[in-house]
Amino acid sequence: MSALNVEHTFAISGTPLENRLEEIWAIFQVVMPGFLPVREKFNKMEPAAIARMIQPFVMRRKKEDVLKELPDKMETTLYNNLAEDQKVIYVAQLELMQNKVKAMDSQALSKSRIEILAGITRLRQICNTPALFMADYKGNSGKLERLRELLVQIKDSGHRPLIFSQFTKVFPFIEQIMGEVGLSSYRLTGSTPVKDRLSMVQAFNAGSRDAFLVSLKAGGVGLNLTSADVVILVDLWWNPAVEEQAVARAHRMGQKNTVEVIRMITQGTIEEKNYGNSRT
């Protein structure tokens, strides 16, 4: 793309910087090749210095700046505790990880990043329910019980929720709860055919069914679900920018109602720690 022979070049992006500063460097290599230092030198620069360099060439407009008619967005953090059976499994998994890491030297630690990431992901799954990977788990889940209470309140108040999770295996458990409290839903994941996505979205926006279960990553962009006015993030993504994209499925042009965003966090776990770190 940088080889195109054009008089003027513009870059337009809804998320110019999602994971690391290097993404800015790549954009400017297309728009203004050579303006920023070479990649190696750029990666050593302080963020404040980079911001000063690019500021004259960046026009940033927040959604609330250009959509004056957009309704308010209320954000709530809903905490829950691990159920007793759930807590036993969580503590055992945490101790297993801690003991493995303590036994590693720096070289082994560097080589075991994937394994450590898998262990962290397992802890996050347990916060939803150990049944996501333990077929014989018959215990309770503090988060799912809290979600049940929330869904009853939503039903009684006549709201329509979007329910996001990064773990699609939790959806059958949520659907069971919804059936028990008298709510119907659609489900959209990465395996949902494109033609079915469109028909489900159109039906939901026309008033069909009560809720929409959406995979956080697969359904975070490209969907207009403004008939919903509650967004529930059952578990949070590693990057808050992905959550904002998910929230924007409801809080966007065409929304007439105030949108309530509810983030579910399990206290005393990696969820609470990561949530605090990502917001500081």
Side-chain angles (χ1 to χ4, degrees):
M1 184 174 178
S2 59
L4 292 175
N5 184 18
V6 294
E7 186 174 353
H8 301 290
T9 306
F10 298 88
I12 302 174
S13 174
T15 51
L17 180 60
E18 184 172 334
N19 295 305
R20 52 189 180 273
L21 282 172
E22 202 170 350
E23 296 170 6
I24 288 288
W25 185 89
I27 293 174
F28 270 83
Q29 278 300 101
V30 174
V31 179
M32 301 171 64
F35 172 70
L36 293 175
V38 296
R39 190 191 299 262
E40 292 75 14
K41 185 177 179 181
F42 176 85
N43 287 338
K44 296 178 182 178
M45 293 178 64
E46 292 294 326
I50 296 172
R52 285 193 298 270
M53 285 188 69
I54 68 174
Q55 192 276 330
F57 309 101
V58 175
M59 179 181 291
R60 184 186 183 195
R61 294 293 182 268
K62 296 182 179 180
K63 184 167 57 178
E64 53 268 27
D65 294 333
V66 296
L67 296 178
K68 300 295 185 181
E69 73 280 10
L70 201 62
D72 291 338
K73 179 178 66 174
M74 300 189 307
E75 302 197 32
T76 303
T77 304
L78 190 65
Y79 291 97
N80 67 272
N81 294 307
L82 292 167
E84 287 304 316
D85 293 339
Q86 190 181 14
K87 186 174 183 179
V88 170
I89 296 171
Y90 183 91
V91 171
Q93 174 66 22
L94 180 61
E95 290 179 349
L96 178 65
M97 283 189 61
Q98 290 174 333
N99 291 335
K100 283 186 177 181
V101 171
K102 287 177 182 177
M104 295 178 183
D105 56 25
S106 58
Q107 185 175 5
L109 191 62
S110 178
K111 292 181 179 179
S112 302
R113 289 179 180 176
I114 299 300
E115 182 182 354
I116 293 171
L117 179 60
I120 293 173
T121 300
R122 184 70 79 207
L123 289 174
R124 292 162 68 94
Q125 288 178 316
I126 294 170
C127 289
N128 282 356
T129 171
L132 294 187
F133 62 92
M134 296 175 61
D136 58 346
Y137 181 74
K138 303 301 181 184
N140 295 323
S141 162
K143 178 174 288 188
L144 293 182
E145 286 305 311
R146 194 75 175 92
L147 179 60
R148 179 192 297 272
E149 297 170 1
L150 177 60
L151 290 174
V152 170
Q153 295 172 9
I154 289 173
K155 179 188 177 184
D156 292 343
S157 57
H159 293 292
R160 305 181 77 215
L162 303 181
I163 304 173
F164 286 93
S165 174
Q166 64 181 291
F167 302 116
T168 56
K169 288 184 178 180
V170 79
F171 286 161
F173 298 96
I174 297 176
E175 287 168 336
Q176 180 179 344
I177 293 172
M178 295 181 73
E180 292 169 357
V181 302
L183 293 171
S184 58
S185 65
Y186 290 104
R187 185 204 298 191
L188 189 153
T189 68
S191 61
T192 305
V194 174
K195 61 180 180 64
D196 292 342
R197 293 186 181 205
L198 180 60
S199 61
M200 286 192 298
V201 168
Q202 290 176 336
F204 182 75
N205 283 333
S208 175
R209 303 191 187 179
D210 306 305
F212 216 123
L213 304 181
V214 191
S215 167
L216 188 56
K217 196 62 175 175
V221 295
L223 298 178
N224 185 338
L225 293 164
T226 50
S227 65
D229 54 6
V230 176
V231 178
I232 303 172
L233 298 164
V234 175
D235 45 73
L236 307 186
W237 192 257
W238 308 95
N239 189 333
V242 175
E243 299 168 22
E244 290 303 318
Q245 291 283 358
V247 172
R249 298 315 97 212
H251 192 242
R252 59 191 297 117
M253 186 181 297
Q255 179 59 259
K256 305 299 182 184
N257 303 316
T258 297
V259 174
E260 184 175 7
V261 181
I262 302 171
R263 291 177 171 86
M264 302 192 70
I265 304 292
T266 305
Q267 288 183 304
T269 71
I270 192 170
E271 282 191 336
E272 187 175 29
K273 183 176 180 62
N274 286 355
Y275 179 64
N277 289 343
S278 66
R279 271 67 184 177
T280 56

